[in-house]
Amino acid sequence: VIGFAASMLSRRLPERTGSGRPATAAARRRVVSQAKTALAADPRLGLVELSRVTGCSPHHLSRVFARLTGLTVSEYRNRLRVSLALERVAGGERDLAGLAGDLGFADHAHLTRTVRAATGRTPSSLRAAFRDTGVPRSVGGHP
């Protein structure tokens, strides 16, 4: 009876295996796309929250995401957050502690360390460089 029920359920939901993991390449791409979309909407989301959004386990999301993007979820999220921070700093953002909180960094120091690791410069020095070089208030093609 259990085997019959499992067989019937697998035919009804062929995109998932018995473990609940996406079984096809298209389903894996969809999971990664959902995770990227959720992070774009809220870069503060962690792995557990993303796994809820995508409907798979944190472990599976981590493996699928890394396999398809070449980055861990954390690396991708940090790149996104650094990009958003640079846009706001180039736009004249002065409150780096507030910016850190908005983007999900633990504090101003965490923001500074992450931006420095990615760019080689602190957010404050980048703000001065943007100001001195006349970088438009909007960077990255955003209005």
Side-chain angles (χ1 to χ4, degrees), residues 34-110:
Q34 289 170 339
K36 286 180 174 182
T37 299
L39 283 170
D42 185 356
R44 297 170 299 178
L45 293 175
L47 183 60
V48 172
E49 293 90 352
L50 285 174
S51 69
R52 287 185 191 123
V53 169
T54 61
C56 59
S57 74
H59 177 73
H60 184 70
L61 175 59
S62 292
R63 285 185 303 120
V64 167
F65 197 95
R67 187 176 308 137
L68 293 181
T69 66
L71 299 169
T72 66
V73 172
S74 182
E75 290 168 338
Y76 180 86
R77 185 182 61 228
N78 276 340
R79 284 186 180 188
L80 175 64
R81 294 189 307 179
V82 166
S83 175
L84 293 169
L86 293 177
E87 284 185 23
R88 289 188 44 190
V89 167
E93 179 73 49
R94 307 271 322 144
D95 179 14
L96 295 180
L99 176 61
D102 289 349
L103 296 178
F105 291 100
D107 53 27
H108 177 217
H110 183 208

Side-chain angles (χ1 to χ4, degrees), residues 111-133:
L111 167 69
T112 298
R113 281 191 311 272
T114 304
V115 170
R116 184 181 303 156
T119 66
R121 298 182 70 176
T122 65
S124 297
S125 71
L126 287 167
R127 183 189 317 114
F130 291 145
R131 185 182 56 243
D132 293 344
T133 59

Side-chain angles (χ1 to χ4, degrees), residues 5-34:
S7 172
M8 296 304 290
L9 288 174
S10 69
R11 282 188 225 141
R12 180 142 170 82
L13 300 171
E15 72 277 0
R16 295 204 179 257
T17 64
S19 66
R21 296 179 179 157
T24 66
R28 288 187 291 273
R29 285 190 303 272
R30 192 169 43 252
V31 164
V32 170
S33 177
Q34 289 170 339

